[in-house]
Amino acid sequence: MIGNLKPLEILLIVAVIFLLFGAKKLPDMARSLGKSARILKSEAKAMKKEGEAEDAATAASVADQAPQQQAAAPRTIQASPGDVTSARPVNEPNHTKQG
């Protein structure tokens, strides 16, 4: 659909956007869009590297240990991808104050 636009139609769309947002806000909007894209790209790369490292560590640990001798590691719940500070074991008792 976008590939079928003629130059006059593209110019009309740009003019409408310019009139709606004004000349002062357009550079700021473009700057914030660029920052958001860079942050998203860096976070995606970090998650990919983290996943590859976890896969390599898991493969190495499984290859090194026999299935009979392998102790059951506690499962963890993570609040969000990449947030290891809030990870906690599943079967850990909840320590809350009662009273």
Side-chain angles (χ1 to χ4, degrees):
M1 179 172 173
I2 294 176
N4 297 335
L5 292 177
K6 298 175 185 167
L8 183 60
E9 293 170 342
I10 294 172
L11 185 63
L12 182 63
I13 291 170
V14 169
V16 168
I17 290 172
F18 186 73
L19 288 173
L20 286 175
F21 295 108
K24 288 187 177 184
K25 289 186 180 181
L26 285 177
D28 292 335
M29 290 172 57
R31 217 173 282 120
S32 66
L33 183 65
K35 284 181 183 178
S36 299
R38 280 192 298 267
I39 290 170
L40 180 66
K41 187 176 179 181
S42 67
E43 288 295 323
K45 282 183 180 179
M47 288 176 63
K48 186 176 179 181
K49 285 181 182 178
E50 183 178 296
E52 289 173 355
E54 287 177 0
D55 290 343
T58 303
S61 67
V62 168
D64 291 342
Q65 297 177 353
Q68 298 88 8
Q69 297 172 351
Q70 190 174 11
R75 296 183 344 196
T76 59
I77 298 174
Q78 289 186 340
S80 63
D83 183 13
V84 294
T85 58
S86 61
R88 62 177 175 80
V90 173
N91 51 356
E92 179 181 340
N94 190 1
H95 297 288
T96 59
K97 283 189 172 182
Q98 294 180 352

